[in-house]
């Protein structure tokens, strides 16, 4: 059916690690009829958006990169935002992805057209249709700012850590940092020396471990470039260490006591004031929230111009922030380090499935996707970093590459069966999700005694993968046709569907 709109075999949404990885895999599968729809004006995803002072990765660089695109020139063991963003730009050029990129093309709606077995997409740059949609928008793409009474009347600057306003000079200013998560512990020590007064609004203290970072020597970089097997060995060692840690997170949280002892020692050495140390000591099992890495966060909190407030932000009154204990503090800027929409994926409101419901409506009881990738009633829609694929201790690039294996086999299966689309069976999605919830029930994320972004509003873990990265790779290595209904091409019979055989 030719209605004048551009039609592509595959539309990829997002150009971060997931979207670029998907594009590389499509080309390797011999598929060149695809576009990458990106709402911004450059690639990079969260590593483009997060440019706040001190922004860096908390996973070692040699593990936080594609296995098919090793980088022997990482400058540090834990590289900064600018180096990771530059790496993604190089991947884009090396694999010839620029002709497929559509910038300024935010997806406003994606609707499944059952009559024609395709997706109809409305973007900021126009309309198009696609046989298959790969959503790689990522869980850390849309900032979450709490609804604080009076914030709209605040006369100073207000912004989220992922939307840093670089034109605002913080020198000598009174700044409120709201939140103490992964971004905040990098921002605080970066801005503390230059601001006049820093108020850190902490609802829950994080567990912080030492950051074992160092420059990668010129000799190491030379060796990794000349003898690639050495870089592979380094990556394998980093991976193995983290795989061995998984058992404590997902099966035996009591084993986290050893890590907790290290974190307590780190706090004790860094903060001499017993009253401040008490405010910074968590009351939940380490690992329940993401474990943070920093050597500079605690010292910054102990400086004379820093105040740690353990009462939540309740309202903004004129130029003052008011915490739940009723205390007012006048500030010039409010910076929110309050995380992202993770368990309520924003793109869910824009994706409409075969029954006319949005993905958000379909997920009203919690996100669930078969093998983290497909959802019943949403044919030919595949997620990179979907429900229950997040990690607490290792590199998300490992999970992305496993999902790409699944995407590749999905597309090969479509060709092999002659189908126009595959639709995950509700029973298959339900069985997978029940297994995820059963396994998650004993993990530190569920039992550690904290509220975190791993859990949704119903207390269900819809975010984290309750196993090793090797297990996930095995689970996504090959599509099981018995878990899908094959939808026949329109020309064969618009109403026909072929039940998949195992």
């Amino acid at each position: 059916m030719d209605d004048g709109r551009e039609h592509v075999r595959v539309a990829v949404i997002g150009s971060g690690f997931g979207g670029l990885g998907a594009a590389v895999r499509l080309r390797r599968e011999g598929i060149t009829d695809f576009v990458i729809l990106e709402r911004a004006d450059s690639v990079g995803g969260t590593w483009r958006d997060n440019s706040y002072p001190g922004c860096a990765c908390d996973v070692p660089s040699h593990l936080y990169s594609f296995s098919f695109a090793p980088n022997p020139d990482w400058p540090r063991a834990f590289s900064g935002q600018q180096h990771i963003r530059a790496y993604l730009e190089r991947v884009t050029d090396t694999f010839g992805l620029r002709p497929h990129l559509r910038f300024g093309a935010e997806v406003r709606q994606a609707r499944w057209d059952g009559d024609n077995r395709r997706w109809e997409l409305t973007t900021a740059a126009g309309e198009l249709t696609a046989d298959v949609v790969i959503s790689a928008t990522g869980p850390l793409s849309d900032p979450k700012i709490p609804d604080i009474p009076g914030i709209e009347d605040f006369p100073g600057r207000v912004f989220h850590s992922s939307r840093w306003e670089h034109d605002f000079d913080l020198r000598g200013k009174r700044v409120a940092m709201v939140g103490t998560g992964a971004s905040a512990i990098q921002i605080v020590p970066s801005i503390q020396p230059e601001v006049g007064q820093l108020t850190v609004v902490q609802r829950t203290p994080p567990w912080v471990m030492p950051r074992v970072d160092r420059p990668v020597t010129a000799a190491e970089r030379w060796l990794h470039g000349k003898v690639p097997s050495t870089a592979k060995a380094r990556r394998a060692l980093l991976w193995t260490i983290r795989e061995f840690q998984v058992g404590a997170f997902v099966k035996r949280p009591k084993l986290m006591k050893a890590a907790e002892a290290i974190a307590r020692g780190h706090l004790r050495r860094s903060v001499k004031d017993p009253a401040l140390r008490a405010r910074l000591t968590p009351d939940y099992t380490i690992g329940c929230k993401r474990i943070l890495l920093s050597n500079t966060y605690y010292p910054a909190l102990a400086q004379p111009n820093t105040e740690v407030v353990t009462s939540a932000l309740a309202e903004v009154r004129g130029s003052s922030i008011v915490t739940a204990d009723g205390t007012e503090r006048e500030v010039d800027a409010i910076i929110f380090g309050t995380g992202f929409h993770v368990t309520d994926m924003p793109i869910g409101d824009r994706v409409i499935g075969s029954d006319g419901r949005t993905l958000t409506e379909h997920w009203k009881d919690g996100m669930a996707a078969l093998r983290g990738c497909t959802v019943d009633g949403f044919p030919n829609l595949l997620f990179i970093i979907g429900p229950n694929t997040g990690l607490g201790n290792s590199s998300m690039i490992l999970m992305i590459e496993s999902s790409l294996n699944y995407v590749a086999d999905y597309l090969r299966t479509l060709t092999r069966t002659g189908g126009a689309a595959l639709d995950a069976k509700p029973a298959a999605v339900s069985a997978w999700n029940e297994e995820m919830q059963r396994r998650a029930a004993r993990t530190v994320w569920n039992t550690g005694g904290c509220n975190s972004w791993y859990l949704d509003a119903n207390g269900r873990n819809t975010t984290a993968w309750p196993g090793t990265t090797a297990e996930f790779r095995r689970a996504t290595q090959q599509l099981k046709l018995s878990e899908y209904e094959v939808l026949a091409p329109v020309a064969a019979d618009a109403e026909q569907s072929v039940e998949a055989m195992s």
Side-chain angles (χ1 to χ4, degrees):
M1 176 181 175
D2 183 7
D3 57 8
R5 287 178 293 186
E6 179 186 12
H7 179 78
V8 294
R9 175 66 171 152
V10 182
V12 179
I13 306 175
S15 67
F17 267 100
L20 296 179
V24 172
R25 192 56 185 264
L26 288 172
R27 287 184 64 91
R28 289 189 161 186
E29 292 294 314
I31 298 172
T32 57
D33 182 18
F34 69 89
V35 294
I36 309 168
L37 304 173
E38 170 54 57
R39 65 185 178 185
D41 59 1
S42 61
V43 303
T46 192
W47 294 106
R48 174 200 59 234
D49 296 342
N50 286 272
S51 59
Y52 58 78
C55 184
C57 192
D58 59 3
V59 174
S61 304
H62 291 87
L63 193 60
Y64 199 80
S65 46
F66 291 121
S67 64
F68 55 79
N71 178 22
D73 295 319
W74 288 117
R76 301 193 65 85
F78 295 87
S79 292
Q81 174 262 346
Q82 70 273 30
H83 301 113
I84 298 171
R85 184 178 181 185
Y87 169 77
L88 290 172
E89 292 281 0
R90 286 199 301 275
V91 167
T92 303
D93 291 327
T94 300
F95 293 92
L97 304 182
R98 298 227 177 256
H100 301 277
L101 281 161
R102 305 284 177 85
F103 293 124
E106 180 175 6
V107 174
R108 293 172 174 165
Q109 186 182 86
R111 178 186 291 272
W112 175 250
D113 176 4
D115 292 337
N116 294 297
R117 304 281 199 265
R118 66 184 188 182
W119 284 96
E120 298 179 330
L121 296 108
T122 302
T123 80
E127 297 185 355
L128 71 155
T129 60
D131 295 331
V132 176
V133 170
I134 299 174
S135 178
T137 56
L140 306 182
S141 56
D142 286 82
K144 193 172 189 177
I145 297 179
D147 186 14
I148 305 296
I151 192 75
E152 64 279 358
D153 297 321
F154 179 67
R157 289 287 187 104
V158 179
F159 53 90
H160 190 272
S161 59
S162 67
R163 302 293 185 268
W164 196 268
E165 297 186 5
H166 291 278
D167 65 328
F168 182 58
D169 188 355
L170 290 171
R171 285 177 295 182
K173 300 293 196 303
R174 298 163 299 180
V175 178
M177 180 75 232
V178 183
T180 53
S183 298
I185 74 153
Q186 296 179 341
I187 293 170
V188 166
S190 298
I191 67 173
Q192 174 272 320
E194 65 181 65
V195 303
Q197 177 66 33
L198 180 59
T199 302
V200 179
V201 182
Q202 168 193 277
R203 284 195 309 175
T204 308
W207 284 107
V208 181
M209 298 279 277
R211 185 180 180 87
V212 188
D213 191 18
R214 66 172 180 82
V216 179
T217 66
E220 288 175 285
R221 295 198 298 271
W222 178 88
L223 185 63
H224 292 333
K226 296 294 184 182
V227 188
S229 59
T230 61
K232 288 183 179 179
R234 184 174 188 159
R235 180 184 177 93
L237 177 61
L238 292 168
W239 171 78
T240 302
I241 292 170
R242 279 155 180 76
E243 290 290 273
F244 276 120
Q245 296 171 348
V246 171
F249 281 86
V250 305
K251 292 180 180 179
R252 295 175 294 279
K254 288 184 179 180
L255 295 178
M256 299 299 292
K257 290 294 184 183
E260 190 172 303
I262 296 173
R264 286 183 184 276
H266 182 48
L267 173 58
R268 189 168 54 251
R269 289 188 300 272
S270 304
V271 179
K272 302 305 180 184
D273 179 5
L276 176 58
R277 197 161 60 233
R279 293 201 297 275
L280 298 176
T281 302
D283 61 358
Y284 55 88
T285 303
I286 191 170
C288 183
K289 288 178 177 285
R290 187 171 180 90
I291 300 173
L292 307 181
L293 306 178
S294 179
N295 300 327
T296 55
Y297 178 62
Y298 286 147
L301 297 183
Q303 296 305 307
N305 69 330
T306 305
E307 179 188 14
V308 178
V309 180
T310 56
S311 184
L313 179 59
E315 66 172 301
V316 174
R317 193 178 297 160
S319 60
S320 297
I321 60 169
V322 183
T323 48
D325 60 4
T327 306
E328 284 191 48
R329 294 168 179 84
E330 195 164 354
V331 296
D332 302 306
I334 303 172
I335 303 170
F336 285 98
T338 44
F340 300 85
H341 290 274
V342 176
T343 60
D344 54 342
M345 210 179 287
I347 199 169
D349 293 323
R350 308 180 186 194
V351 179
I352 301 169
S354 57
D355 62 359
R357 292 193 304 165
T358 65
L359 191 57
T360 298
E361 292 168 332
H362 184 79
W363 278 344
K364 67 182 187 302
D365 296 323
M367 299 191 302
L370 178 59
R371 303 179 188 274
C373 200
T374 55
V375 183
D376 53 296
F378 293 79
N380 283 8
L381 173 66
L382 300 106
F383 284 95
I384 308 296
I385 314 183
N388 287 114
T389 61
L391 296 175
N393 76 310
S394 193
S395 172
M396 280 305 302
I397 313 308
L398 301 170
M399 302 296 279
I400 288 172
E401 290 197 32
S402 293
S403 293
L404 297 180
N405 289 337
Y406 196 74
V407 167
D409 200 50
Y410 186 103
L411 295 169
R412 288 194 293 264
T413 301
L414 274 179
T415 300
R416 187 175 68 251
T417 60
L422 299 178
D423 193 2
K425 293 180 179 178
V429 178
S430 179
W432 177 264
N433 187 50
E434 287 173 8
E435 176 68 5
M436 290 297 98
Q437 298 307 315
R438 183 190 68 77
R439 293 180 59 180
R442 62 182 178 180
T443 66
V444 70
W445 307 304
N446 288 50
T447 65
C450 73
N451 292 317
S452 74
W453 56 267
Y454 296 117
L455 308 181
D456 66 14
N458 300 314
R460 291 163 63 87
N461 184 343
T462 58
T463 304
W465 167 247
T468 64
T469 62
E471 283 182 273
F472 188 69
R473 175 151 294 205
R474 288 193 296 271
T476 52
Q477 194 67 44
Q478 193 170 26
L479 180 141
K480 288 186 177 180
L481 198 51
S482 60
E483 295 179 331
Y484 288 87
E485 181 182 2
V486 182
L487 305 183
V490 176
D493 184 344
E495 299 299 322
Q496 179 186 7
S497 68
V498 181
E499 279 295 320
M501 303 300 293
S502 58

